[in-house]
Amino acid sequence: MRNGHLDPIDRAIVASLQRGVPLVERPFAELAATLETTEATVVARLARLIAAGVVGRFAPMLDAEKLGGATCLCAMAVPCDRFEDVARFFEQLPEVAHNYEREHWFNMWFVLAVERREGLLDAIARIERETGLEVLALPKLEEYRLELTLPL
Amino acid sequence: MKNVTLDPIDRQILLASQDGLPLSITPFAVLARALGLEQAELLARLRRLQERGIVRRVAAVPNHFRLGFVANAMTVWDVDDAHARRLGRTVGALSFVSHCYLRPRRLPVWPYNLFAMVHGKSREETEGQRAAIAALLGDACRASDVLYSVRILKKTGFRLRPQDPEAKDEPCSG
């Protein structure tokens, strides 16, 4: 796993676990059998993959909209000399679910996710107030794919 | 979609697990024990939450960069509204597109309405993916751009907050 070089078993574990586990007492049993290894090995490798940052976390993925909340993709053009400050501000803002630096005039792209629809406008207003920068809000109108799995 | 409420036990389960399940061959048993629940009840509740779509799945979140996908890009397209829905479905079905959305334009600063996330192991590969999308869109596409990811600054995902959302928010201090 040095330098991000995963062995085939690591890759198979990530590929399978990104699609989800069955909600049963022994959620790794089937995967372990497929890989001809033990559940303990799967869990030990998962722990290593998490420690190495290859896997962010292993947890229930929640859908804010199904809970009556909302999500919204937003972008900002942040001056270079303020970029790290704004990134740090977003780091501790719970409404910011994801944040990416991108190569573009709009160089900061983030997803707001809130448990109540009304929280979205509040969050945008707060960000604009605290940063003095304009937020470009791009809520989704339609979604054509939400398959977060990549061929590994 | 209004008035979706989580009962307090569901909420407790999600709060206790959203940062990561116990790394055990029986993670649900360990979690149930920590919460003072029977494992069977915890599993039944998680299954119900999954049926309702509140839990999409219980899964690992991979870091694309660390998996060797170093050329991740948001490709954006200004697609004729008359064809945007049909073409969005077609683009979304491509194997290398992980997410595809129709979004509002924000003229004059943002003329693009179709967004497709693509992931390559090199920019060359990603440019090939972009060319394949361009070919699919054909004349319906008036302009496009590509925004490569430089860094993941935050990837916590949506998280429940400990307080009841019905309760009035206290103003943030500090």
Side-chain angles (χ1 to χ4, degrees):
Chain A
M1 204 154 65
R2 210 154 22 97
N3 303 325
H5 288 110
L6 311 182
D7 72 22
I9 296 182
D10 288 329
R11 282 187 179 274
I13 288 172
V14 178
S16 171
L17 294 184
Q18 69 176 342
R19 278 184 228 103
V21 295
L23 299 176
V24 296
E25 263 187 81
R26 306 282 286 267
F28 305 109
E30 209 182 304
L31 174 60
T34 308
L35 298 176
E36 297 181 332
T37 183
T38 62
E39 291 158 270
T41 302
V42 171
V43 171
R45 281 177 178 258
L46 173 60
R48 251 177 37 219
L49 290 162
I50 291 173
V54 175
V55 167
R57 67 186 186 283
F58 172 68
M61 304 291 112
L62 307 182
D63 185 325
E65 285 166 33
K66 292 279 162 56
L67 275 164
T71 63
C72 184
L73 176 71
C74 298
M76 289 197 319
V78 184
C80 284
D81 59 344
R82 295 188 50 206
F83 195 88
E84 300 304 322
D85 284 344
V86 175
R88 268 194 297 276
F89 169 55
F90 280 4
E91 186 56 45
Q92 50 84 33
L93 208 60
E95 293 88 350
V96 177
H98 299 140
N99 188 20
Y100 284 79
E101 179 180 358
R102 295 192 180 280
E103 285 176 17
H104 195 269
W105 160 253
F106 287 110
N107 53 359
M108 193 175 275
W109 288 78
F110 53 100
V111 175
L112 294 175
V114 294
E115 223 176 306
R116 289 173 300 157
R117 294 209 133 267
E118 316 82 81
L120 210 51
L121 290 178
D122 294 346
I124 291 171
R126 182 174 169 204
I127 290 166
E128 291 193 328
R129 193 173 62 240
E130 301 221 1
T131 63
L133 299 167
E134 198 175 332
V135 171
L136 184 72
L138 300 165
K140 72 177 171 223
L141 303 174
E142 289 198 27
E143 181 173 317
Y144 302 109
R145 187 185 179 102
L146 197 87
E147 189 54 54
L148 298 140
T149 59
L150 289 174
L152 292 173
Chain B
M1 208 59 105
K2 264 199 142 175
N3 300 325
V4 183
T5 48
L6 277 177
D7 85 40
I9 297 174
D10 285 346
R11 195 173 182 84
Q12 195 189 6
I13 292 169
L14 295 180
L15 279 171
S17 60
Q18 64 181 352
D19 293 337
L21 280 162
L23 296 175
S24 154
I25 67 169
T26 55
F28 303 115
V30 175
L31 179 64
R33 212 157 38 236
L35 295 173
L37 297 171
E38 292 296 324
Q39 175 176 222
E41 186 191 352
L42 182 137
L43 283 170
R45 284 177 173 273
L46 278 177
R47 285 191 204 108
R48 182 77 193 108
L49 287 165
Q50 194 162 28
E51 281 161 19
R52 292 166 69 194
I54 290 170
V55 170
R56 288 181 194 266
R57 61 191 179 283
V58 173
V61 185
N63 178 321
H64 295 158
F65 282 97
R66 298 270 170 94
L67 282 162
F69 291 92
V70 293
N72 302 294
M74 183 169 79
T75 66
V76 294
W77 312 83
D78 174 14
V79 178
D80 186 341
D81 289 327
H83 303 289
R85 283 181 168 75
R86 174 179 59 81
L87 290 167
R89 278 192 297 275
T90 313
V91 171
L94 294 168
S95 66
F96 51 80
V97 172
S98 65
H99 305 60
C100 184
Y101 300 101
L102 193 65
R103 301 185 186 279
R105 296 184 187 84
R106 300 292 188 207
L107 297 170
V109 293
W110 191 256
Y112 309 109
N113 57 341
L114 189 68
F115 290 60
M117 304 298 308
V118 298
H119 309 271
K121 295 197 168 168
S122 65
R123 290 217 174 184
E124 201 179 7
E125 185 182 357
T126 303
E127 286 304 320
Q129 295 167 340
R130 193 179 165 214
I133 296 174
L136 253 175
L137 297 176
D139 293 341
C141 173
R142 289 176 290 244
S144 77
D145 203 348
V146 58
L147 289 78
Y148 281 97
S149 318
V150 180
R151 269 190 296 168
I152 301 175
L153 299 164
K154 185 173 186 179
K155 200 179 177 182
T156 49
F158 167 64
R159 300 298 174 93
L160 286 177
R161 293 163 75 177
Q163 82 272 21
D164 185 330
E166 300 302 312
K168 196 90 187 112
D169 271 341
E170 290 296 318
C172 235
S173 54

